[in-house]
Amino acid sequence: MTVEDGQRYGDGESPSGPGEQGAGILGVFGRQLKRFREWAEHDRAAFGAMTGYSASTIASYEQGRRVPPPRFIEMADELLGARGVLTEMKEEVARAQFPPFFRDAARLEAEAVELHVYDTHVVNGLLQTEEYARAVFTMRRPILSEEIIEERVVARLARQDVLVRKPLSTFSFVIEESVLTRPVGGRGVTRGQWEQLLLCGQQRNVDIQVMPNAREEHAGLAGPFTLIETKEGRRIAYVEAYKHSRLYTDRGTVRQLEEQYGLLRAQALTPRESLAFIVKLLE
């Protein structure tokens, strides 16, 4: 069985705004926000001053044209006396920042007890620095607006909370050497990304392995994928490919990708060797 949801734009991000489902929850949130604001007898300018946002930004949130960050939602709920009505929608609103095809994968990623990733194009979003993520989105074609770039960066960084969420889940990443040596955003951004990988790789629940360019045997030439295990024991595979991104739940397909991933880990540098390799890059 597969769940096929749309077009791939790399690591779960789309160049467009929220899809139909995302626009729906944003519209509901916006109407509720406006209702509570009016009940509290604040105009947009006054409420914006209370929260640190402009009146035009408040209007965008109320009209469902922009995705409000979690911090704003929490603040608005408290200031307007919404008694949790707004914060109840926080997770759904946050998922609206992702394109429709990635929302199911994002939900599973956030709930996973194990996540195993093979990357071939860019450093995985769970490991990216803010500067690296911004560089990735800035290079997108067709060009993204500054507003959408910032929303995508915020969404990508928010995903990284799963790395430190308690109880700790297990994460492993196999990354192609060419991904690390590609100077995305320039040498300064790349160096910062190497430092970030070192920090992440030193966490007890995170293994990072580098696949050297010189390897003659390689089990992952078909492209990147992610393996997910839920707390209920379900094993799911997420595969990104041009124009189609899919969640696979049938055991046969998932088992094949699990076998590939096991071989990839055996063929790559060990986690310790990989961190030493990144240190060499930094030197």
Side-chain angles (χ1 to χ4, degrees):
M1 175 184 176
T2 66
V3 180
E4 183 180 324
D5 289 305
Q7 192 170 8
R8 173 186 180 267
Y9 288 94
D11 198 21
E13 305 295 354
S14 163
S16 61
E20 184 177 343
Q21 183 180 355
I25 185 61
L26 293 182
V28 171
F29 175 84
R31 289 191 294 273
Q32 293 292 342
L33 175 64
K34 181 179 180 180
R35 182 173 290 117
F36 280 112
R37 177 181 60 78
E38 291 177 341
W39 283 344
E41 299 183 348
H42 299 308
D43 62 21
R44 285 172 177 161
F47 182 57
M50 295 166 65
T51 58
Y53 292 81
S54 67
S56 61
T57 299
I58 300 299
S60 294
Y61 293 159
E62 291 183 351
Q63 294 161 10
R65 293 186 288 109
R66 290 186 63 181
V67 181
R71 181 172 60 90
F72 170 82
I73 296 175
E74 294 167 357
M75 196 173 2
D77 192 279
E78 181 177 351
L79 291 172
L80 300 177
R83 299 183 180 182
V85 172
L86 298 179
T87 54
E88 275 186 2
M89 292 183 276
K90 186 169 63 173
E91 291 186 6
E92 286 297 321
V93 168
R95 277 197 284 272
Q97 297 175 93
F98 303 118
F101 77 84
F102 187 65
R103 286 182 193 135
D104 284 339
R107 175 180 55 80
L108 292 167
E109 177 185 85
E111 299 171 356
V113 296
E114 287 190 24
L115 197 76
H116 306 288
V117 185
Y118 170 53
D119 284 313
T120 61
H121 296 86
V122 295
V123 172
N124 190 268
L126 292 177
L127 302 174
Q128 289 179 7
T129 64
E130 180 177 345
E131 294 76 17
Y132 187 97
R134 185 170 286 107
V136 169
F137 289 124
T138 300
M139 287 186 288
R140 284 280 192 271
R141 293 297 182 272
I143 294 173
L144 306 182
S145 70
E146 292 297 325
E147 182 177 288
I148 290 178
I149 288 173
E150 290 309 309
E151 287 185 357
R152 294 288 185 254
V153 170
V154 169
R156 181 157 290 187
L157 297 180
R159 286 169 53 199
Q160 297 175 3
D161 289 345
V162 300
L163 296 175
V164 294
R165 181 196 56 209
K166 302 293 176 65
L168 292 173
S169 298
T170 299
F171 297 88
S172 72
F173 301 85
V174 176
I175 308 173
E176 290 292 330
E177 178 186 339
S178 58
V179 171
L180 300 183
T181 55
R182 182 176 297 123
V184 174
R187 302 303 298 182
V189 172
T190 302
R191 184 178 181 84
Q193 183 59 66
W194 292 339
E195 292 172 346
Q196 172 82 345
L197 290 172
L198 278 181
L199 290 173
C200 292
Q202 290 167 3
Q203 294 177 210
R204 291 187 300 118
N205 63 321
V206 178
D207 282 336
I208 294 175
Q209 294 181 248
V210 176
M211 175 65 79
N213 291 336
R215 283 290 190 263
E216 295 182 3
E217 295 182 343
H218 196 305
L221 297 179
F225 58 89
T226 299
L227 298 171
I228 304 166
E229 182 168 345
T230 69
K231 57 187 175 183
E232 296 82 17
R234 294 176 63 209
R235 293 185 175 182
I236 301 163
Y238 175 66
V239 180
E240 294 186 351
Y242 181 65
K243 289 190 178 293
H244 299 288
S245 293
R246 297 180 178 180
L247 285 170
Y248 291 89
T249 57
D250 65 287
R251 190 65 196 123
T253 301
V254 175
R255 186 185 293 113
Q256 289 175 6
L257 290 171
E258 288 175 340
E259 180 180 355
Q260 280 187 42
Y261 193 74
L263 290 170
L264 283 168
R265 294 200 70 177
Q267 294 162 350
L269 300 177
T270 68
R272 183 176 298 227
E273 291 168 342
S274 297
L275 294 184
F277 177 87
I278 296 171
V279 169
K280 275 191 174 183
L281 292 177
L282 283 165
E283 291 173 350

